[in-house]
Amino acid sequence: MADVFASPVVQAVGLALVHFVWQGAAIGLATALALRLTRRASAHLRYLVASLGLVALATAPVVTTARAVTTNTPSATGMAPITWLQPTATSTPTD
């Protein structure tokens, strides 16, 4: 089971989910601000702004996962590898 968590792809997806918390908040705030600034504009423009926000929300975790898989180094991803899930050598007492 620990081998699954040691996979670079699984770690990249986990990293993307963690980063999506702040990315989603930032995209949501930017979209809300843009919608607020265009409240007197045409419905077409407001629809475009909202749609771009949704596209950004959909692509953010994909881009983050792709970047984490291609770099796959702790310094490039900003996170250390998950070492506590990997099995360790333990000695068993003998009688």
Side-chain angles (χ1 to χ4, degrees):
M1 182 69 169
D3 293 338
V4 173
F5 294 116
S7 166
V9 174
V10 172
Q11 288 188 359
V13 170
L15 176 72
L17 291 174
V18 169
H19 280 293
F20 186 65
V21 173
W22 72 264
Q23 289 171 345
I27 292 168
L29 286 173
T31 303
L33 178 64
L35 287 171
R36 180 89 168 160
L37 294 173
T38 59
R39 67 178 174 256
R40 297 195 189 276
S42 68
H44 177 70
L45 179 62
R46 288 180 283 134
Y47 186 84
L48 179 65
V49 168
S51 296
L52 288 175
L54 289 173
V55 168
L57 285 171
T59 57
V62 174
V63 170
T64 304
T65 301
R67 288 189 64 195
V69 166
T70 57
T71 55
N72 196 26
T73 58
S75 62
T77 59
M79 295 183 69
I82 303 173
T83 56
W84 56 272
L85 292 175
Q86 297 172 355
T88 58
T90 57
S91 61
T92 56
T94 57
D95 291 324

